[in-house]
Amino acid sequence: MKHNTNVDIAFTHIITRKKQTLVAALGVTLGVGVYLFMNSLSSGFSSFSRDEIFKNSAHIKIYKDEELSKPISSDSSRISVILNPQITTLSKKIINPEALLANVKKQPYVTSAIAQVSFDAFYNRGKAQIKGSGNGVNMTEYDAMFNTGKYMVAGSINALPGNLNGIIIGSGIAEKLSLGLNDNITITSAFGVVKVMKIVGIFTTGNSMNDQQKSYVNISTAQQFVKEGPSFVSTIFVNTPSADKSEKYVSLLQQLTPYTVEDWKTTNADVMSGDKTRSTLMNSISYAILIVAAFGIYNILSSTITQKINDIAILKATGFAGKDVIRIFLLEAIIMGLIGTLMGLVIGSILIGIMSKIYMGGPVGYFPISFETRLFARSFILGLFITFCAGYFPARKAAKVDPVEIFRK
Amino acid sequence: MEKREVILSTGGLGKYFYDPVKFKVLDDISFEAYKGEFLTLVGKSGSGKSTLLYCLSTMDTAYEGELFIAGEKITGKKTNELSALRNKSIGFIFQFHYLLPEFSCLKNVMLPALKLGKYSYKEVEERAYNKLEVLGIKDQALKPASKLSGGQQQRVSIARALINDPAIIMCDEPTGNLDSKNTQIVFNIFKQIAHDFGQTIIAVTHDNDFAAASDRTIELADGKIISHDKVFDEQNP
Ligand SMILES: Nc1ncnc2c1ncn2[C@@H]1O[C@H](COP(=O)(O)OP(=O)(O)OP(=O)(O)O)[C@@H](O)[C@H]1O
Ligand SMILES: [Mg+2]
């Protein structure tokens, strides 16, 4: 390798000024460490809450929304008369669901699509009654999409398909009615259909809304509860290759059907906006800390340059150009930044490690935080970027030193 | 009188200072310095010697008139070109020996040569040892520059000025801080450099004996040349 004089000088400065180097590096360490930690917190929490959402939301759902009565005349040249607008939907039925489902499945961007028949259900045992919602699904397909099998605490999802009298209920329902596996439960639907069913499975998702209300039966059973024939479907769930790009797929799917096509972001708008607020907050704080760290480097480099102004003058007098001086001091900044950034990643990892061992209890379990390569890479790049920026301005000042002015003094 | 090769020349060089009031610190300076000449600049304090030397060194570019080095017009060149020119062709020795304190004496001497990049690291090191040996401070080579006495530091800075075998060596009161013994050593070295190696020395000095013993002395007063003492070496003792 060719001997590089600028590198040599930069390293000598760094080595002979260990203390300043360390102080500047520690500033960056703190900035990068906290940045990494806060972003891992934020990201861990977001993916936790997203997982919660996807426990029972698909990326996209297609359903028939309520419709309001239209004005009698919509022609603007005539007088419009509105008569007592109200919901006119007679049934939440999707007409010809098989064709729609088949068509949806044919789309190249659809990874899976399933049909569901939902109904309002009352779970009864003796005089006790709980209101909830029943879902008629093809359990095998449903499990592939929502991973329901993972949450089973008793029985198995495999016991449901083919067992028209079987039902899987949430653990909240089982507790309240003190029912166990293989017990019988009486279900009444809003349409007045009453059936005695056998519990073939119990699940706990950690979400009390789900656990205290939801149950799964076969599609044909659900169709009987709503007094409909075998072509009745209330919702079609669709998964796509990327949940983040759901808006794009919504507009594509909407071209296939007049029914409402809604993505998970719309369905969970409240959760999403909460998430966004939190991550914006975390981001601003972590950026602020990075900027403070950058000022640390800026300060130390500025004072180094003031102290080294004689040396800079000598270097320039002996033939080092302005760009050499910039390189020397920029390199010093980057070395400080590199040391600081690497230590910051270590500190960040330790904090993440500690945090991930903290048990939060409830459905959360251990604190939802993990080591994400993406965040490590981003922290590393940002750490170097801020030191580069913070080092550039003092270095440029150094390059502009006029040696004559220094020698005259 | 034999015709000698001109290494540096100025034409109508003038310079103003504007702070606190505008005044002309250099006025119509025109002279030539020859290859292998040991030239001294003298004059009262404040006569503009240092200012002139900074203009000649290419570090100060805010002047009027023209400067030529080795037949090339220097006035108007870009700062990067000037840096490269200083590195290659001009050695500078300051009154206050200005060394880089974190580096060893050896490294101080080596840096301009490493920057020049003409020789390998090993060769530069060898050359630096040689220069230090000539100046009698080879034994101090590996000490940090800040741990040397004033006279030793001055000799290190002379070695640094010589490392790239520059065509011209400029000094601002190079012996101002030295005792008579060291002054004599430096004087002899300068004489040898000029006469044996054909390098040109332009030295500002207050030392009359030093000036008298040089090849030629230019005297400044109020920014003007008042005497060109055209004495060439063949007439020297
Ligand atoms: N930066 C400056 N701004 C204004 N005036 C200056 C500046 N530097 C020098 N001067 C003035 O210019 C004149 C010449 O200064 P210079 O340093 O060249 O003198 P000198 O001959 O080297 O003197 P000495 O022998 O004391 O070193 C002096 O009157 C000095 O006060
Ligand atoms: Mg002076």
Side-chain angles (χ1 to χ4, degrees):
Chain A
M1 199 193 89
K2 194 175 161 290
H3 181 84
N4 190 320
T5 320
N6 295 343
V7 175
D8 197 352
I9 295 172
F11 269 98
T12 309
H13 281 170
I14 287 279
I15 291 164
T16 50
R17 301 168 77 83
K18 288 195 188 78
K19 209 171 135 199
Q20 274 103 326
T21 304
L22 202 69
V23 171
L26 278 178
V28 180
T29 301
L30 207 69
V32 169
V34 171
Y35 180 86
L36 173 61
F37 177 61
M38 292 192 72
N39 278 276
S40 299
L41 273 184
S42 172
S43 161
F45 211 84
S46 289
S47 65
F48 171 77
S49 79
R50 187 180 279 208
D51 286 351
E52 284 292 294
I53 287 173
F54 287 129
K55 273 179 193 170
N56 47 65
S57 289
H59 295 176
I60 294 169
K61 65 180 179 184
I62 303 174
Y63 63 100
K64 183 170 184 184
D65 208 354
E66 280 104 357
E67 283 169 16
L68 286 181
S69 55
K70 295 231 168 64
I72 289 171
S73 162
S74 57
D75 190 335
S76 56
S77 66
R78 288 192 246 156
I79 299 164
S80 292
V81 184
I82 300 172
L83 286 172
N84 187 20
Q86 62 182 3
I87 294 171
T88 59
T89 322
L90 294 175
S91 141
K92 287 199 174 186
K93 173 178 179 173
I94 293 178
I95 296 162
N96 199 359
E98 284 99 344
L100 178 57
L101 189 59
N103 197 3
V104 166
K105 277 185 176 167
K106 266 205 313 240
Q107 303 306 313
Y109 50 85
V110 170
T111 52
S112 60
I114 60 170
Q116 177 178 293
V117 177
S118 347
F119 59 97
D120 294 327
F122 298 92
Y123 309 104
N124 307 295
R125 187 191 184 195
K127 282 189 178 164
Q129 189 181 54
I130 299 174
K131 188 182 175 301
S133 69
N135 299 281
V137 295
N138 175 329
M139 201 61 207
T140 319
E141 289 178 354
Y142 192 85
D143 176 54
M145 191 177 269
F146 296 113
N147 237 325
T148 315
K150 206 174 101 187
Y151 306 105
M152 297 303 289
V153 290
S156 153
I157 54 159
N158 298 324
L160 190 63
N163 183 352
L164 295 185
N165 209 28
I167 185 166
I168 295 175
I169 61 170
S171 57
I173 304 167
E175 265 167 44
K176 283 194 178 164
L177 300 180
S178 70
L179 290 167
L181 198 60
N182 298 325
D183 287 346
N184 284 337
I185 180 169
T186 310
I187 312 288
T188 315
S189 80
F191 290 81
V193 180
V194 182
K195 277 177 186 282
V196 176
M197 308 202 57
K198 188 173 175 180
I199 297 170
V200 298
I202 297 174
F203 65 86
T204 302
T205 58
N207 178 324
S208 58
M209 283 275 278
N210 281 338
D211 296 349
Q212 293 178 14
Q213 297 187 351
K214 261 196 161 174
S215 65
Y216 298 106
V217 297
N218 284 297
I219 290 189
S220 55
T221 315
Q223 285 161 342
Q224 288 167 15
F225 272 120
V226 294
K227 291 188 172 165
E228 290 282 354
S231 69
F232 177 89
V233 161
S234 49
T235 315
I236 291 174
F237 290 124
V238 180
N239 266 0
T240 57
S242 164
D244 293 319
K245 295 200 190 106
S246 58
E247 294 92 343
K248 189 177 97 191
Y249 302 125
V250 164
S251 59
L252 287 171
L253 282 172
Q254 191 68 76
Q255 291 165 10
L256 304 178
T257 168
Y259 298 114
T260 306
V261 180
E262 190 179 285
D263 67 346
W264 64 283
K265 289 177 191 167
T266 315
T267 315
N268 299 285
D270 49 342
V271 181
M272 296 298 290
S273 73
D275 266 13
K276 206 166 173 191
T277 312
R278 192 190 49 244
S279 63
T280 310
L281 199 76
M282 294 267 215
N283 261 322
S284 350
I285 296 173
S286 56
Y287 275 118
I289 290 169
L290 270 186
I291 288 170
V292 172
F295 267 102
I297 288 242
Y298 176 86
N299 256 330
I300 288 194
L301 229 68
S302 290
S303 77
T304 303
I305 283 160
T306 314
Q307 288 168 25
K308 293 228 155 299
I309 202 147
N310 275 342
D311 296 30
I312 297 166
I314 296 167
L315 287 173
K316 293 190 89 175
T318 54
F320 285 78
K323 64 176 194 293
D324 294 312
V325 176
I326 289 198
R327 280 184 196 151
I328 290 169
F329 286 98
L330 210 48
L331 188 63
E332 288 178 30
I334 289 173
I335 296 169
M336 293 173 186
L338 194 66
I339 297 172
T341 304
L342 292 177
M343 293 198 298
L345 294 184
V346 172
I347 298 282
S349 305
I350 294 173
L351 289 177
I352 294 171
I354 293 172
M355 205 65 188
S356 67
K357 298 254 158 27
I358 295 178
Y359 191 71
M360 308 299 286
V364 179
Y366 287 99
F367 198 93
I369 189 170
S370 62
F371 297 90
E372 287 182 60
T373 325
R374 175 178 64 91
L375 292 179
F376 275 76
R378 204 204 296 164
S379 309
F380 180 78
I381 290 166
L382 266 178
L384 286 190
F385 179 72
I386 57 151
T387 43
F388 186 89
C389 295
Y392 181 74
F393 296 98
R396 207 180 51 175
K397 201 172 75 186
K400 289 200 179 128
V401 166
D402 178 7
V404 175
E405 226 172 274
I406 308 305
F407 295 138
R408 262 193 229 284
K409 282 181 187 147
Chain B
M1 204 183 293
E2 63 181 293
K3 180 97 176 112
R4 301 186 55 175
E5 191 187 329
V6 175
I7 190 76
L8 178 147
S9 66
T10 65
L13 197 141
K15 181 174 173 68
Y16 291 91
F17 277 128
Y18 298 91
D19 195 25
V21 287
K22 180 174 172 177
F23 86 107
K24 196 154 196 178
V25 57
L26 295 176
D27 189 6
D28 193 24
I29 304 280
S30 301
F31 75 98
E32 291 170 336
Y34 302 99
K35 187 173 186 296
E37 187 181 28
F38 181 0
L39 183 66
T40 45
L41 284 177
V42 297
K44 286 203 196 70
S45 179
S47 56
K49 305 181 296 292
S50 297
T51 308
L52 175 59
L53 200 66
Y54 291 132
C55 290
L56 300 182
S57 77
T58 77
M59 283 192 275
D60 191 347
T61 53
Y63 56 82
E64 54 190 37
E66 288 173 329
L67 170 66
F68 292 88
I69 291 177
E72 207 183 335
K73 185 172 172 184
I74 301 307
T75 313
K77 275 188 185 283
K78 295 202 190 69
T79 49
N80 280 348
E81 293 174 302
L82 295 179
S83 298
L85 177 93
R86 279 201 295 279
N87 186 230
K88 185 171 173 288
S89 309
I90 302 176
F92 213 98
I93 303 164
F94 312 93
Q95 180 175 5
F96 300 104
H97 36 74
Y98 288 122
L99 297 172
L100 304 180
E102 296 98 340
F103 293 84
S104 68
C105 297
L106 185 69
K107 210 51 180 285
N108 264 287
V109 177
M110 289 168 70
L111 279 177
L114 293 174
K115 170 69 193 156
L116 184 63
K118 189 171 151 195
Y119 299 103
S120 74
Y121 190 89
K122 269 264 147 291
E123 285 167 318
V124 169
E125 197 171 51
E126 206 171 296
R127 287 170 59 82
Y129 268 120
N130 284 340
K131 301 285 178 199
L132 287 173
E133 187 163 29
V134 171
L135 289 150
I137 38 168
K138 193 182 178 189
D139 52 331
Q140 309 290 327
L142 298 177
K143 271 198 192 172
S146 52
K147 297 269 156 64
L148 265 61
S149 77
Q152 289 170 324
Q153 289 190 29
Q154 186 64 305
R155 280 181 277 164
V156 174
S157 81
I158 295 172
R160 180 180 63 194
L162 300 179
I163 189 75
N164 283 343
D165 294 331
I168 310 167
I169 291 142
M170 300 186 186
C171 343
D172 199 346
E173 302 182 27
T175 56
N177 283 336
L178 299 182
D179 57 22
S180 58
K181 178 170 163 271
N182 277 309
T183 302
Q184 193 55 45
I185 295 174
V186 169
F187 182 82
N188 290 338
I189 292 165
F190 281 2
K191 201 133 203 184
Q192 189 193 5
I193 296 167
H195 298 171
D196 297 355
F197 305 121
Q199 290 163 278
T200 304
I201 311 255
I202 303 176
V204 168
T205 184
H206 276 139
D207 183 336
N208 285 334
D209 298 338
F210 193 90
S214 69
D215 297 345
R216 179 160 65 112
T217 302
I218 290 177
E219 191 177 354
L220 287 187
D222 294 332
K224 295 190 188 68
I225 294 180
I226 55 166
S227 91
H228 275 275
D229 165 23
K230 294 234 179 199
V231 184
F232 286 125
D233 52 353
E234 58 263 36
Q235 292 161 331
N236 264 342

